[in-house]
Amino acid sequence: MKPPTAKARGKDKKDNKGPVDHHSAIPVNTSWAKLGSLRECCGDPVAESDLLVKKLNACCEIYDFSKDDKQPDKDGKRLTLLEVLEYLPAGEKKEKIEEKEKDAKKDKKDKKDKDKNKIKKGSDVGSNPESLDESEGGKKLQLNKAITRALVECVKANAFRTLTAQRERTPMDLLDGEDEDPFLEPTWPHLELVYEMLAKLLSSKDLDTSVAQQGGMDKHLLNGLLELFESEDPREREVLKSLVIKFFNRIPPLRSSVRRGIQSFCTRAVYLEGAEAPQSGVAEVLEVLGSRVVGAFATPLKEEHKDLLLKILLPLYRLDTLMFFYTQLKELVRMFCKKEPFLAKQVIFSLLRYWPVTAGAKQTVFLSEIEDLFHMLPPGEVKHVTPPVVKRLGACIAQPMSEVAERALVFWRNSAMVRFTVQYGRDEMPMVVSGLYGNITKAWAGGVMTKTLEVLKNLMEADHELFDNSSSRHRKDGDEVEKKESLRQKRWAQLQALHDKKTKTQQKSVMRKSVEDADGPSNAWDDEVMLKPDSSCAVSLCWNRKSEDNKNRLVLQALVVNSDGKVLDVVHDRNVTAMQSAVRLTCRAPAASAKKTGCSGTIWVSLELFPSDIALVMFVVSNSDGGRLGSIAKEPMLAVDTNGYNSLGEFELDLHADSKLSCVAVLKRLDSSGWSFQPKNLVTKLCSHYMDFPEMLARVLREALPSMPRRQKMQVSLTAMEKGSVAELPMLRDGEANRRIFLGMGWDYYSADETSSVEVSVVLFSADGQHLGTISKGNPEGIPGALHTGDGALSAGVFAELDTLPGDVSVMFLVGHIEDQNMSYEIIQQPHCSIVDGTGREYARYSMPDDEGTSTYNGLIISRFFWNEVHDRWNFQALGIHCKANVWNDAVDDMSAIVTQKPSTFQTLCLEDEDHIFKGNSYHRQVSEDRSSVILSAQDLGGVMVSL
């Protein structure tokens, strides 16, 4: 930024009394206004110098431009920098010309000295701001060590900072080589003036080298400026380039530091990776190197100068950001080759070594540079360079990228290159001819086809015999390739046949005899058996008892998992059906279990009834009382068959004495073609219930679902509940968030103009059906440990602290009522309820079907939340019962009747009402009125065998 002209300062051209007083424009009541004006010190060089140093020291204060505060102080600093810039001694207008011609002939130098003296005598102070500045008293401000040191410290304080994080450039940015939207330094209003002060100081004819170095203009300052080339702001990099050139010109002792600093910058760009390597500034550094350093090298070049080319500059070609500095790098390399043409050979070999295999745009650039360097080679080096170049060109002409192929073909349009190829590249000619023939049959670009035909003609005319030999070699190689491909296909077919044979043998080894021949050896674990998509799979668990205690027994459960690894529903002795009867539990036992004294029933899985997002079914065994598995059973056996008559086999379980939970089998969806059944034998000693999230089950999920994250824990969210379904909650532990739950209900309206609302209440009962209290909108804190959320437009519910509820509370009903007696549930759609813990995890959700959501009744008992003493955990059951009650008080009798009804009995009645179809046997059977004898209830599993 140039100092303001006299006209810009509001002065008349004839008013040449001195520099403009920027101090008068500084906002009042700021620290900058209190420093005083340099204009007031005119005539006193000592006072003027002291005040200048004082202002430079004050300018070391840094402001945050990312915020809009302290604007008067920011303006004050900018005006102070302008004031200081005006009073610094300036250089001559002819300085750049003098520097360029300082080594010219003596007579030109003398003439320039005369012109310089003439300018000094005729210069008018104030008429030209860039001329020598003098005070009103005619005394010029002299540079001294104190001013120089203060200015250097000001530069360090403002410029030496932590640069912003480098932006990640996309592949398109790397190809373009330009930043369309560069980052602009927010502190540039101050930083630009600081840089201009340093540039003015370096341009001053009064600058003394020794005084400048003593004042801090040394290699430390220079190295800091070189590191700032990594700035993302192009304006700053351009200013830094001019500053480094001034350092190189005005302070000769620092020239070696400039060379070493530039070498270090380029070395870091080549050999460091990621954020440690500079992504910007390489182009500007190379410009400095080319304009001042390399051009001054004497010939012949020294070894260290050659190392600069071979070890520092040439490795820059392999960087992804090459296009940002390719022009400067190319000029530098050309300068070296002009000084010593023998270096062109090594440059070409380096380009071939750093060849970009996957970047077509860079390949085009490399080809152009190789062609330019080829013409700079000494005649004796052509024969050494031609073979590797021709080999690379032969690979490029077959590239699918048309730009690369066309650029490679251009080489042989030159008669000299054709002559070198047939003379020195005879061994590579077969590969070139093969590539040319391949273009004729495969090239899709018209330009490639045209140039290919032209190159074929040129090579044929250059050496007809060599071309014919290469063509015959091409045909011979093609025949060998076809033979190798045919042999490969034959060998692969043999391997595939062996694999298919082995796979079929393994599948047969897993298949056992029929159930009547069950005395044979047990099947192997972890061997998969393929099932058809429309199959039904039946799994049953039988065992011999270790004691006469019939209370404890083994429980077989089926966990239904979706493709995200989330358990959507579970079938066990308290929830006998799931996923619209795709999975169900019956009391039927296999015929081979007649020798056994205990059975868990049979879980039937109809694979064709599953939704498309169901990916897995896990079969888990636990103890009914939560104890150890091996304490109640011996010789447990898992019997599996399909469609009720085709046996998959019987597997003897190895239930360790101290195990509490075991995964015994997995049904896994392979793809649209079918499922697989895989027996397993995994146990855990840490927990006895699937809702307590055992790591063993999570490991099975990760093995069966590779897409599931390895660190993902097992999640149970029973969101596919049906009417009568029962969901169990995790074991309550001190300090865990599942001790606090939210029991809520939601709904929607059929039309937006409905004015009636739904009142949601939670009614509490004891185990014997006694009403204990109600939490409702009118009584939000009816029971200690519970709180009603209040009215909601589309939802409402109750928060409950389970450990603070009264001890006699065993059942909580979630009910909803239409407040307007003239309305009914016909105006409500999609009623649903859910239970959520303190962390926001939804354990269970029941959404009523459309045909059950509407009713002419006002009341809805949608679910109940009850305590299961056998398993020491809370349970949640979906009810969906409409009732004739305008308020919750009218439904107390209905809820009292449900309290004493077992959850399994209620689910059985729901199944009877649906007239469900079972597919468990070899034939389809419609369940009759005696449905309770078919469905397995909690009382049926005392070790008694019940058959259809």
Side-chain angles (χ1 to χ4, degrees):
M1 177 177 176
K2 294 183 179 181
T5 61
K7 184 177 180 180
R9 300 182 196 124
K11 300 286 185 177
D12 189 80
K13 292 183 179 180
K14 298 180 181 180
D15 186 10
N16 298 324
K17 294 182 179 181
V20 177
D21 186 11
H22 292 281
H23 184 79
S24 61
I26 297 177
V28 295
N29 299 327
T30 60
S31 59
W32 304 99
K34 299 177 183 179
L35 291 176
S37 175
L38 286 170
R39 192 168 188 175
E40 298 174 356
C41 301
C42 290
D44 188 352
V46 177
E48 191 175 18
S49 177
D50 293 342
L51 183 57
L52 185 63
V53 171
K54 186 177 181 180
K55 285 180 176 289
L56 287 172
N57 292 334
C59 289
C60 293
E61 183 176 356
I62 307 300
Y63 294 101
D64 188 359
F65 277 78
S66 63
K67 301 179 181 179
D68 296 333
D69 58 347
K70 299 182 179 181
Q71 190 59 42
D73 291 328
K74 295 176 183 177
D75 293 338
K77 179 179 178 180
R78 182 179 60 81
L79 292 170
T80 301
L81 289 170
L82 284 171
E83 182 185 16
V84 173
L85 183 62
E86 280 288 336
Y87 276 83
L88 286 177
E92 298 294 336
K93 289 184 178 180
K94 301 293 184 178
E95 179 187 359
K96 293 183 179 180
I97 300 176
E98 292 174 359
E99 289 295 333
K100 292 181 180 179
E101 296 179 354
K102 66 179 180 178
D103 295 330
K105 295 180 181 180
K106 190 175 183 302
D107 55 340
K108 291 185 179 181
K109 184 176 180 181
D110 294 341
K111 184 178 179 181
K112 275 201 298 185
D113 291 340
K114 292 179 181 180
D115 294 339
K116 183 177 180 182
N117 293 332
K118 183 177 180 180
I119 293 174
K120 288 183 180 180
K121 294 178 181 180
S123 60
D124 185 11
V125 178
S127 63
N128 185 4
E130 296 183 357
S131 64
L132 297 179
D133 294 317
E134 295 183 6
S135 63
E136 291 181 356
K139 294 183 179 180
K140 183 179 64 175
L141 177 64
Q142 295 291 334
L143 289 177
N144 53 39
K145 181 179 177 181
I147 295 177
T148 304
R149 183 170 296 279
L151 194 148
V152 169
E153 293 299 327
C154 181
V155 172
K156 290 181 178 179
N158 286 272
F160 292 1
R161 65 200 186 279
T162 301
L163 297 176
T164 57
Q166 298 175 351
R167 295 176 301 159
E168 292 186 3
R169 293 188 170 97
T170 64
M172 293 304 299
D173 295 335
L174 299 177
L175 292 177
D176 293 339
E178 295 182 1
D179 282 335
E180 296 182 358
D181 187 17
F183 171 81
L184 300 180
E185 177 61 39
T187 62
W188 188 247
H190 292 171
L191 189 59
E192 180 184 20
L193 297 175
V194 171
Y195 282 143
E196 190 169 351
M197 287 194 305
L198 182 59
K200 194 172 183 180
L201 181 63
L202 288 168
S203 302
S204 175
K205 61 181 177 51
D206 295 334
L207 181 66
D208 184 79
T209 302
S210 60
V211 175
Q213 288 183 298
Q214 293 175 5
M217 300 181 70
D218 52 10
K219 63 179 181 180
H220 300 291
L221 175 63
L222 179 62
N223 291 335
L225 294 176
L226 288 171
E227 291 181 0
L228 290 174
F229 274 107
E230 298 185 35
S231 173
E232 293 283 346
D233 194 333
R235 302 171 300 177
E236 183 174 9
R237 297 198 302 269
E238 192 66 25
V239 172
L240 289 170
K241 181 180 67 175
S242 63
L243 286 175
V244 173
I245 292 176
K246 290 180 184 293
F247 266 99
F248 189 87
N249 294 337
R250 296 303 306 274
I251 308 179
L254 294 181
R255 292 180 178 178
S256 60
S257 298
V258 172
R259 290 193 293 267
R260 288 194 297 268
I262 294 176
Q263 292 180 19
S264 176
F265 189 92
C266 296
T267 302
R268 288 191 292 114
V270 171
Y271 297 104
L272 296 183
E273 297 180 354
E276 297 180 355
Q279 302 294 325
S280 303
V282 180
E284 290 77 10
V285 166
L286 293 179
E287 284 187 28
V288 176
L289 192 63
S291 62
R292 295 298 175 184
V293 180
V294 177
F297 287 165
T299 54
L301 295 175
K302 298 179 181 179
E303 288 298 325
E304 57 266 24
H305 297 163
K306 296 180 182 179
D307 290 341
L308 172 63
L309 172 67
L310 301 177
K311 298 181 179 180
I312 296 179
L313 296 182
L314 292 182
L316 290 172
Y317 279 99
R318 68 184 187 186
L319 298 183
D320 295 335
T321 56
L322 172 65
M323 304 310 297
F324 286 93
F325 53 85
Y326 171 69
T327 302
Q328 294 80 5
L329 180 59
K330 181 180 179 181
E331 291 299 324
L332 265 177
V333 172
R334 187 166 297 180
M335 290 175 64
F336 275 97
C337 294
K338 286 181 179 179
K339 289 181 178 294
E340 284 200 10
F342 290 96
L343 291 175
K345 171 186 174 182
Q346 294 177 311
V347 174
I348 292 176
F349 285 159
S350 297
L351 291 175
L352 296 176
R353 183 167 66 252
Y354 301 140
W355 191 263
V357 179
T358 58
K362 287 182 66 176
Q363 290 183 15
T364 305
V365 170
F366 277 41
L367 288 172
S368 299
E369 187 153 0
I370 289 176
E371 185 177 14
D372 294 339
L373 292 170
F374 214 89
H375 299 296
M376 302 177 66
L377 283 171
E381 300 295 336
V382 175
K383 61 181 179 181
H384 302 294
V385 177
T386 301
V389 171
V390 172
K391 184 177 181 180
R392 174 54 62 187
L393 293 176
C396 288
I397 60 177
Q399 284 277 10
M401 187 174 181
S402 59
E403 289 83 356
V404 177
E406 287 186 36
R407 193 64 192 81
L409 290 169
V410 169
F411 271 75
W412 287 295
R413 301 179 72 177
N414 189 330
S415 59
M417 189 62 194
V418 173
R419 185 174 65 255
F420 294 150
T421 301
V422 299
Q423 186 176 357
Y424 304 119
R426 304 181 69 87
D427 294 339
E428 288 73 22
M429 271 292 291
M431 183 182 68
V432 174
V433 173
S434 296
L436 294 173
Y437 283 144
N439 282 351
I440 293 177
T441 57
K442 300 177 182 178
W444 57 271
V448 175
M449 180 65 70
T450 302
K451 292 182 175 62
T452 298
L453 295 175
E454 184 178 352
V455 171
L456 280 172
K457 178 182 177 182
N458 293 339
L459 294 176
M460 185 185 303
E461 293 176 352
D463 194 330
H464 187 74
E465 183 180 356
L466 176 62
F467 187 84
D468 290 342
N469 294 336
S470 300
S471 300
S472 61
R473 176 70 178 273
H474 164 71
R475 291 190 292 270
K476 183 178 179 181
D477 291 342
D479 295 339
E480 291 181 358
V481 170
E482 291 180 0
K483 291 180 180 179
K484 289 182 179 180
E485 179 64 19
S486 176
L487 181 61
R488 188 187 69 83
Q489 294 288 351
K490 182 178 179 180
R491 290 177 176 175
W492 180 256
Q494 294 175 350
L495 290 173
Q496 186 67 40
L498 291 174
H499 174 268
D500 295 341
K501 182 178 180 181
K502 182 178 180 181
T503 303
K504 186 179 296 184
T505 304
Q506 289 178 348
Q507 292 180 1
K508 289 183 178 180
S509 66
V510 175
M511 305 290 292
R512 273 200 62 171
K513 304 175 184 178
S514 61
V515 177
E516 290 76 9
D517 274 342
D519 296 332
S522 299
N523 291 322
W525 295 99
D526 294 326
D527 286 340
E528 290 189 85
V529 180
M530 303 301 121
L531 304 178
K532 296 180 179 180
D534 57 349
S535 300
S536 294
C537 183
V539 180
S540 181
L541 178 66
C542 305
W543 68 90
N544 288 324
R545 294 192 175 275
K546 286 187 176 181
S547 63
E548 298 299 328
D549 184 11
N550 292 334
K551 294 182 180 180
N552 298 337
R553 53 188 172 78
L554 298 182
V555 178
L556 181 63
Q557 305 155 7
L559 282 63
V560 183
V561 186
N562 66 359
S563 56
D564 295 331
K566 183 181 293 185
V567 180
L568 299 184
D569 212 338
V570 183
V571 169
H572 45 76
D573 56 352
R574 297 168 302 284
N575 187 48
V576 296
T577 183
M579 307 298 293
Q580 298 182 353
S581 293
V583 186
R584 55 206 176 278
L585 175 65
T586 68
C587 61
R588 178 180 180 234
S593 64
K595 302 178 182 179
K596 303 291 183 178
T597 59
C599 179
S600 65
T602 301
I603 293 182
W604 293 89
V605 182
S606 299
L607 302 178
E608 75 277 7
L609 298 181
F610 274 134
S612 59
D613 63 330
I614 301 302
L616 197 71
V617 179
M618 285 194 297
F619 295 92
V620 179
V621 175
S622 63
N623 195 336
S624 60
D625 67 345
R628 303 185 186 280
L629 300 177
S631 62
I632 61 174
K634 60 181 180 179
E635 299 178 357
M637 181 181 66
L638 189 72
V640 185
D641 64 2
T642 59
N643 299 329
Y645 57 85
N646 186 16
S647 174
L648 289 182
E650 298 172 357
F651 305 88
E652 293 183 2
L653 300 178
D654 183 14
L655 302 179
H656 301 288
D658 54 352
S659 60
K660 293 185 177 181
L661 189 69
S662 175
C663 178
V664 295
V666 170
L667 266 174
K668 181 172 62 174
R669 186 193 293 269
L670 300 177
D671 49 29
S672 58
S673 62
W675 291 65
S676 70
F677 179 85
Q678 184 179 23
K680 288 187 173 292
N681 192 17
L682 301 175
V683 298
T684 180
K685 309 174 185 178
L686 302 179
C687 57
S688 59
H689 202 279
Y690 62 88
M691 281 299 295
D692 295 332
F693 310 115
E695 179 60 28
M696 178 265 295
L697 297 183
R699 187 168 68 252
V700 175
L701 286 178
R702 285 192 290 268
E703 292 176 355
L705 303 176
S707 60
M708 177 179 172
R710 297 195 61 81
R711 295 187 178 181
Q712 179 176 328
K713 296 183 179 180
M714 180 180 175
Q715 301 181 44
V716 181
S717 181
L718 308 180
T719 57
M721 297 185 67
E722 304 170 7
K723 186 173 183 179
S725 297
V726 178
E728 299 178 312
L729 269 64
M731 181 75 70
L732 294 179
R733 298 182 178 88
D734 293 336
E736 290 193 358
N738 59 2
R739 302 181 67 85
R740 182 185 302 107
I741 59 105
F742 172 74
L743 191 61
M745 176 180 173
W747 60 88
D748 200 354
Y749 291 104
Y750 275 101
S751 60
D753 57 350
E754 300 294 347
T755 58
S756 298
S757 60
V758 179
E759 180 181 352
V760 178
S761 306
V762 173
V763 187
L764 292 82
F765 289 86
S766 62
D768 56 358
Q770 181 181 357
H771 177 225
L772 301 179
T774 303
I775 304 101
S776 62
K777 180 182 67 174
N779 187 23
E781 300 181 4
I783 293 293
L787 176 65
H788 197 278
T789 61
D791 282 333
L794 297 175
S795 64
V798 171
F799 290 99
E801 294 279 354
L802 298 180
D803 53 351
T804 60
L805 290 175
D808 52 350
V809 174
S810 296
V811 185
M812 294 187 288
F813 286 94
L814 181 64
V815 297
H817 299 276
I818 304 294
E819 294 182 347
D820 190 347
Q821 297 182 4
N822 297 323
M823 298 290 182
S824 66
Y825 265 88
E826 292 179 344
I827 67 172
I828 301 300
Q829 65 176 349
Q830 298 179 353
H832 59 273
C833 62
S834 61
I835 181 169
V836 183
D837 70 356
T839 63
R841 178 186 301 167
E842 185 180 46
Y843 285 124
R845 169 184 286 262
Y846 170 52
S847 299
M848 296 183 63
D850 294 337
D851 56 346
E852 295 184 2
T854 60
S855 174
T856 58
Y857 295 154
N858 292 70
L860 174 63
I861 307 174
I862 193 168
S863 64
R864 65 171 167 175
F865 187 62
F866 61 93
W867 176 255
N868 189 327
E869 296 182 354
V870 177
H871 297 89
D872 292 332
R873 63 181 71 235
W874 289 91
N875 286 201
F876 177 84
Q877 185 175 26
L879 299 179
I881 301 175
H882 291 280
C883 59
K884 296 180 179 180
N886 295 325
V887 293
W888 66 266
N889 309 68
D890 300 337
V892 171
D893 294 339
D894 296 334
M895 289 182 278
S896 299
I898 300 175
V899 169
T900 57
Q901 191 176 36
K902 294 183 178 181
S904 58
T905 304
F906 180 81
Q907 189 177 33
T908 302
L909 295 176
C910 293
L911 292 174
E912 291 178 358
D913 294 338
E914 294 175 0
D915 192 25
H916 210 70
I917 302 296
F918 273 44
K919 293 185 178 180
N921 302 326
S922 57
Y923 59 92
H924 292 181
R925 175 173 180 235
Q926 183 172 346
V927 180
S928 63
E929 296 179 355
D930 193 15
R931 184 57 175 270
S932 59
S933 64
V934 179
I935 303 301
L936 190 64
S937 65
Q939 296 177 345
D940 297 326
L941 295 174
V944 181
M945 298 298 301
V946 184
S947 63
L948 291 174

